[in-house]
Amino acid sequence: MPTILITGSSGQIGTNLFFGLRRLGFQVMGVDRRPNPWTGELPTVVTDLTDRAQVDALGGGRLGGLDLVVHLAAHAKVFELVQRPERALENIVMTYHALELSRRAGIPFIFGSSREVYGDIHRIITGESDADFVIAESPYSASKISGEALTYSYARCYGLNYLTFRFSNVYGRYDNDLERMERVVPLFIDRIARGEEVVVFGEQKVLDFTYVDDCVDGIILGIRGLLSGRVKNQTFNLAYGEGSSLVQLAHWIAEELSKPLNLRLEPSRPGEVTHYVANISKARSILGYEPKVPLREGARRTVAWWRECGRLSP
Ligand SMILES: NC(=O)c1ccc[n+]([C@@H]2O[C@H](COP(=O)([O-])OP(=O)(O)OC[C@H]3O[C@@H](n4cnc5c(N)ncnc54)[C@H](O)[C@@H]3O)[C@@H](O)[C@H]2O)c1
């Protein structure tokens, strides 16, 4: 079976992808700047992908026999990069180093991009080519736009085969380490479970929430397509394909937790996308992608996982 290298393998999507690939018999190697907090079963080379010397050490033999790179390592929090724009630059450097690993090994590359490349859109996105790279909503968007551009340039100049996936609000298991990463679903679960106030930045904000198993299914379809030579050099939106408001999300989580909802509404913050619903028809038709978990059901599963982890009182 092929061996897949996941960068950012200690993160939410990376960890879920590892388990998904392993179930199918793939070999998986991980690279991350921190050990995996969820499992000891994923061989992980602890490496800072912004550090040239550490990356050279990887290329110099610590990784071998790879068939494909899935590049997920990044500073992944939009608002954090508004406050710390130098981290956007680090994202670009990580992508460059991951692309170099692929290029030197002569293996295909999958880039974990984001719906943030579209900016704050209030029109219907009719296709992947609607991204307008002149509009970068935030330093994080700029880092994903740059990562995509570098990836496309490697395909042209070095014949690299790639797929780019634009994810959107991925949520589910292996995402409750709020000290590290405050994402909206875990944050709401934590606050509502404690009976604390929930602040929604943007009453009208509508986003496309993707249950992590759907996201992983899409990436695996891409891996299979690339490895078989059936699909290459394409960019896909990977999401559920429906919009939900944050207010609705908070209500559903409160329902699952059987707790009252104490909601405060604030305006959206700078750099945040306030409306996004993905058009997933391209992933559907080319990859056979079919998301299965609507947000209502995903909220139920995510709260159940928190219970299993012992992070909620019974
Ligand atoms: N989760 C989402 O909703 C979402 C949405 C759009 C795009 N994405 C993108 O998908 C990818 C994976 O997201 P995630 O949700 O798993 O994020 P995550 O933060 O859980 O995982 C990212 C991982 O990258 C690692 N990393 C950061 N800097 C590094 C460095 N210098 N060297 C090595 N590793 C480093 C982190 O330690 C972390 O484990 C990211 O590129 C993110 O930008 C995620």
Side-chain angles (χ1 to χ4, degrees), residues 31-270:
V31 170
D32 202 293
R33 66 175 173 170
R34 60 196 178 107
N36 193 297
W38 309 103
T39 175
E41 295 173 64
L42 167 56
T44 304
V45 185
V46 174
T47 296
D48 182 343
L49 282 172
T50 63
D51 183 313
R52 180 63 183 268
Q54 291 187 37
V55 177
D56 283 349
L58 278 178
R62 290 170 77 195
L63 297 175
L66 299 175
D67 296 289
L68 184 146
V69 174
V70 181
H71 175 51
L72 300 176
H75 300 292
K77 189 82 183 99
V78 176
F79 192 65
E80 177 194 304
L81 271 62
V82 174
Q83 295 166 317
R84 304 278 308 268
E86 73 280 7
R87 294 195 172 170
L89 187 59
E90 289 182 12
N91 280 354
I92 301 168
V93 173
M94 285 181 231
T95 303
Y96 160 69
H97 282 142
L99 278 164
E100 279 295 294
L101 284 174
S102 259
R103 177 165 86 98
R104 288 195 208 129
I107 57 176
F109 184 81
I110 289 182
F111 179 49
S113 187
S114 168
R115 59 108 203 275
E116 298 288 328
V117 300
Y118 293 117
D120 193 9
I121 33 169
H122 290 270
R123 64 202 151 87
I124 304 288
I125 290 291
T126 52
E128 281 76 356
S129 60
D130 277 358
D132 179 349
F133 287 0
V134 178
I135 302 170
E137 203 63 31
S138 70
Y140 175 81
S141 316
S143 77
K144 290 300 183 189
I145 290 169
S146 307
E148 287 199 13
L150 261 185
T151 304
Y152 304 148
S153 76
Y154 270 58
R156 283 192 182 263
C157 293
Y158 313 116
L160 182 97
N161 290 341
Y162 75 85
L163 294 181
T164 292
F165 286 112
R166 294 176 181 155
F167 306 136
S168 172
N169 285 90
V170 183
Y171 69 98
R173 74 181 87 70
Y174 308 128
D175 188 21
N176 65 11
D177 44 351
L178 284 162
E179 316 68 40
R180 181 185 79 86
M181 190 74 172
E182 257 188 17
R183 277 187 269 235
V184 64
V185 172
L187 187 66
F188 282 10
I189 294 176
D190 186 62
R191 288 270 161 85
I192 297 169
R194 291 171 194 275
E196 291 172 6
E197 181 181 71
V198 167
V199 184
V200 167
F201 293 98
E203 185 179 6
Q204 307 300 328
K205 200 183 273 173
V206 166
L207 299 173
D208 196 332
F209 289 88
T210 316
Y211 189 64
V212 71
D213 287 354
D214 286 331
C215 175
V216 164
D217 283 353
I219 300 172
I220 292 176
L221 286 166
I223 290 173
R224 287 187 187 281
L226 260 181
L227 288 175
S228 68
R230 199 176 55 75
V231 190
K232 67 174 183 180
N233 304 356
Q234 298 282 348
T235 297
F236 297 103
N237 297 329
L238 211 59
Y240 186 70
E242 263 178 37
S244 303
S245 74
L246 294 194
V247 173
Q248 176 68 82
L249 169 69
H251 278 287
W252 282 338
I253 289 174
E255 228 172 85
E256 280 308 316
L257 290 164
S258 308
K259 293 270 187 179
L261 180 60
N262 177 8
L263 204 63
R264 179 157 60 89
L265 299 170
E266 294 281 345
S268 284
R269 296 175 297 181

